[in-house]
């Protein structure tokens, strides 16, 4: 297991063509650099040093609350060797096992980092290089080995002879584990005497071998792990790989999917067994869905908790809580603080914010419920609205157990509707309604017999 991980993340990422630094771009809702940090942490690294440059302030802010992560600024991008030197010097690292990761490679598995580190901690190597054999090796550093399989050097593509480019097909992935004492002891020997005029970290291999130290390599089994993100197209590729990894994991645990290529689930989300995720479902952030639910099609849940046996169809939910057997949608919008208790319903074109919907209560059609505490067994008629905002304050509405609110009712908050009360359709309720009372606010209906017929006849005479 590595003692420390150094994550190289100072690069510009010009090919993203973005105002934002590359490592801040998100994969399944999480910035690229935090994927690498998470993999290092899961591999057992107790200390994570991130080398920052472009977008330094935003990258630092990402890790502000994480005590095991420190950021080191590399003021000038003089190469990967220089970046590692900055990290070692600023963080005072000169012992243990140091794993080196790329901030733009989010798909590396913790087990792969742990395996690299074991070559140093248990295998006695001064360094271990993670290698790969991509279909097109152009641009990668080439790994040179001796007869015994030990790595003798890494030669950057640009510094290779045409023969070396043709013969050396095993490439450097850019991931390594080093003996920290040897790395710190020799990093000063790396020079910038090469085609690119950069300090290459890769030169450390020949330097360590020159000092009589052993260097091995590990070939990565799943080449997808090494997918680096340099462009938006590669970001989309990486998203697809991670989407498939997460969805395969969920299906193996009993989650159903009609078409897994149309379901996106974030890394921190959990979903219970026998829940079915239908196409165009996005579950992100701190979202947790229980067992036996149907979510989707066309649903987006962020930081939302869903209990068991719920139906969530064409729904957008943000920081909402659904207990068990709740039904939402089609086309419900659940905003922060929406709390739907057991067996309740938020139906078609219904928006709910900062409100509790009591057990078995129904808001079936075309309603807005905000800043409301609703009891159990309440029925809200179609088109009813809580007028919670007077232009200055947000005001509260309470609706007691078993109340029946007729269609097209305006409840002008602050207002209370007592338990068991009845509100006539189309009422504008501005005063409290006592329990079990009827409230009706509506001008009386007039009937004028024969009026419509007379009007039609008049229109005919005028030739319409
Ligand atoms: C590097 C390796 C190459 C390997 C390839 C795999 C070197 C010299 N070469 O090449 O052998 O095949 O990765 O992808 O290391 N960075 C800094 N500061 C710097 C320079 C780079 O933080 O001064 C960061 C970059 O942001 C990036 C990483 O280090 O995350 C790798 O740098 P990059 O310039 O992309 O290296 P490559 O040329 O791809
Ligand atoms: Ca690169």
């Amino acid at each position: 297991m590595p003692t420390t991980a150094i994550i190289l993340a100072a690069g510009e990422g010009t090919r993203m063509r973005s105002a934002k630094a590359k490592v801040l771009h998100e994969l399944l809702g999480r910035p690229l650099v935090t994927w690498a940090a998470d993999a290092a942490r899961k591999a057992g690294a107790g200390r994570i040093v991130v080398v920052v440059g472009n977008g330094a302030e935003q990258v630092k802010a990402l890790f502000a609350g994480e005590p095991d992560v420190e950021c080191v600024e590399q003021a000038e991008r003089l190469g990967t060797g220089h970046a590692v030197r900055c990290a070692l010097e600023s963080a005072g690292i000169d012992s243990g096992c140091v794993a080196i990761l790329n901030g733009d490679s989010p798909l590396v598995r913790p087990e792969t980092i742990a395996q690299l580190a074991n070559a140093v901690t248990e295998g006695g190597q001064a360094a271990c290089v993670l290698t790969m054999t991509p279909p097109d090796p152009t641009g990668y550093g080439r790994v040179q080995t001796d007869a015994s399989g030990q790595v003798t050097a890494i030669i950057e593509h640009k510094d290779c002879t045409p023969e070396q480019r043709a013969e050396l097909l095993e490439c450097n992935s850019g991931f390594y584990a080093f003996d920290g004492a040897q790395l710190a002891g020799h990093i000063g020997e790396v020079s910038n005497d090469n085609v690119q005029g950069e300090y290459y970290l890769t030169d450390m291999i020949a330097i360590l071998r020159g000092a009589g130290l052993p260097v091995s390599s590990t070939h990565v089994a799943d080449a997808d792990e090494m997918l680096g993100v340099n462009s938006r197209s590669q970001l989309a590729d990486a998203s697809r790989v991670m989407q498939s990894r997460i969805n395969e994991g969920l299906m193996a645990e009993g989650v159903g999917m009609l078409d897994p290529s149309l379901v996106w689930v974030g890394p921190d989300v959990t979903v219970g067994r026998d829940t079915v995720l239908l196409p165009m479902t996005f579950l992100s952030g701190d979202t947790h869905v229980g067992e036996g639910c149907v979510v989707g099609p066309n649903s987006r849940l962020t930081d939302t908790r869903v209990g068991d046996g719920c139906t969530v169809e064409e729904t957008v939910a943000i920081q909402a809580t659904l207990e068990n057997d709740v039904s939402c949608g089609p086309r419900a919008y659940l905003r922060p603080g929406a709390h739907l208790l057991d067996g309740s319903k938020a139906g078609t074109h219904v928006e709910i914010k900062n409100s509790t919907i009591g057990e078995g209560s129904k808001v079936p059609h075309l309603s807005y419920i905000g800043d409301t505490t609703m009891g159990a067994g309440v029925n809200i008629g179609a088109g009813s609205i809580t007028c919670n905002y007077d232009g200055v304050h947000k005001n509260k509405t309470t609706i007691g157990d078993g109340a029946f609110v007729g269609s097209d009712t305006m409840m002008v908050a602050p207002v209370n509707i007592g338990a068991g009360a009845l509100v006539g359709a189309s009422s504008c309720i501005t005063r409290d309604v006592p329990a079990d009372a009827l409230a009706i606010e509506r001008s009386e209906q007039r009937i004028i017999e024969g009026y419509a017929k007379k009007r039609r006849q008049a229109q005919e005479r005028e030739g319409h």
Side-chain angles (χ1 to χ4, degrees):
M1 150 194 320
T3 322
T4 305
I6 296 175
I7 299 176
L8 304 182
E12 287 174 60
T14 36
R15 276 181 284 162
M16 295 297 281
R17 298 195 180 272
S18 171
K20 198 160 72 170
K22 178 168 76 177
V23 293
L24 293 167
H25 281 264
E26 292 185 355
L27 182 142
L28 292 182
R30 195 200 259 176
L32 290 175
V33 65
T34 65
W35 282 92
D38 194 56
R41 188 178 287 133
K42 286 185 177 142
R47 192 174 177 199
I48 296 164
V49 181
V50 184
V51 181
V52 298
N54 269 280
E57 292 315 310
Q58 290 105 301
V59 179
K60 283 185 198 168
L62 280 182
F63 295 110
E66 299 178 21
D68 57 345
V69 181
E70 55 209 283
C71 293
V72 164
E73 228 166 302
Q74 183 192 18
E76 281 179 289
R77 252 70 71 204
L78 303 180
T80 49
H82 178 255
V84 168
R85 186 174 176 170
C86 290
L88 296 174
E89 286 172 1
S90 305
I93 300 161
D94 57 7
S95 63
C97 173
V98 179
I100 295 179
L101 282 64
N102 264 334
D104 59 6
S105 297
L107 302 177
V108 67
R109 287 190 167 90
E111 304 85 71
T112 304
I113 300 167
Q115 192 192 340
L116 265 180
N118 285 350
V120 172
T121 54
E122 285 161 33
Q125 302 293 319
C128 184
V129 183
L130 187 67
T131 64
M132 58 183 182
T133 316
D136 178 10
T138 307
Y140 290 110
R142 308 306 171 85
V143 178
Q144 198 174 47
T145 51
D146 62 19
S148 70
Q150 282 264 300
V151 182
T152 48
I154 297 172
I155 311 164
E156 286 308 295
H157 180 90
K158 286 184 179 155
D159 297 290
C160 280
T161 63
E163 292 74 35
Q164 286 171 324
R165 278 180 202 164
E167 278 164 28
L168 303 175
L169 298 178
E170 191 173 8
C171 296
N172 171 26
S173 69
F175 287 74
Y176 324 78
F178 282 96
D179 177 297
Q182 300 297 353
L183 179 64
H186 293 278
I187 191 83
E189 295 165 35
V190 173
S191 81
N192 62 353
D193 182 15
N194 51 51
V195 172
Q196 301 188 82
E198 284 183 11
Y199 293 88
Y200 292 163
L201 176 62
T202 44
D203 283 356
M204 276 303 294
I205 305 307
I207 291 169
L208 293 176
R209 290 304 306 275
L213 296 162
V215 177
S216 67
S217 65
T218 300
H219 195 266
V220 68
D222 174 8
D224 279 346
E225 274 192 64
M226 295 300 107
L227 214 150
V229 174
N230 297 300
S231 63
R232 305 228 181 215
S233 170
Q234 286 174 328
L235 179 58
D237 291 342
S239 298
R240 269 193 295 276
V241 172
M242 188 52 78
Q243 174 198 33
S244 150
R245 242 191 235 177
I246 289 175
N247 288 352
E248 289 298 326
L250 288 170
M251 289 189 286
E253 309 229 300
V255 176
M257 292 183 199
L258 180 61
D259 183 347
S261 71
L262 297 176
V263 171
W264 290 266
V265 179
D268 301 318
V269 171
T270 59
V271 184
R273 50 191 261 167
D274 292 321
T275 284
V276 176
L277 304 178
L278 293 172
M280 300 311 288
T281 288
F282 300 78
L283 306 180
S284 62
D286 193 21
T287 290
H288 303 279
V289 179
E291 298 185 358
C293 299
V294 178
V295 184
N298 304 327
S299 290
R300 182 157 58 85
L301 274 52
T302 304
D303 300 329
T304 286
R305 200 174 65 74
V306 179
D308 297 334
C310 296
T311 303
V312 186
E313 190 182 350
E314 283 201 56
T315 291
V316 174
I318 302 162
Q319 292 168 35
T321 306
L322 282 60
E323 302 292 345
N324 301 320
D325 305 311
V326 170
S327 159
C328 293
R331 312 226 170 126
Y333 181 24
L334 307 178
R335 293 169 51 203
H339 187 186
L340 282 77
L341 303 190
D342 286 0
S344 61
K345 177 181 173 114
T348 317
H349 297 287
V350 167
E351 176 175 338
I352 296 178
K353 183 215 73 168
N354 190 33
S355 295
T356 299
I357 308 302
E359 274 184 41
S361 290
K362 312 251 182 278
V363 189
H365 332 273
L366 303 154
S367 286
Y368 170 63
I369 303 294
D371 303 308
T372 296
T373 304
M374 191 186 295
V378 171
N379 190 83
I380 303 290
S384 293
I385 282 170
T386 55
C387 311
N388 61 328
Y389 187 46
D390 57 15
V392 184
H393 303 105
K394 298 285 167 71
N395 300 303
K396 280 201 60 91
T397 300
T398 60
I399 303 173
D401 291 348
F404 184 95
V405 176
S407 295
D408 189 34
T409 295
M410 301 294 118
M411 291 164 272
V412 181
V415 74
N416 303 303
I417 294 174
L422 206 56
V423 178
S426 195
S427 295
C428 180
I429 300 299
T430 51
R431 283 179 291 130
D432 287 356
V433 180
D436 297 319
L438 166 70
I440 186 153
E441 185 280 334
R442 189 199 283 165
S443 48
E444 221 166 293
Q445 182 173 325
R446 288 171 66 200
I447 299 284
I448 304 170
E449 293 288 353
Y451 178 90
K453 190 176 181 185
K454 276 186 212 154
R455 196 176 104 161
R456 256 192 325 270
Q457 288 165 344
Q459 280 169 345
E460 274 161 26
R461 278 197 300 276
E462 283 162 28
H464 288 296

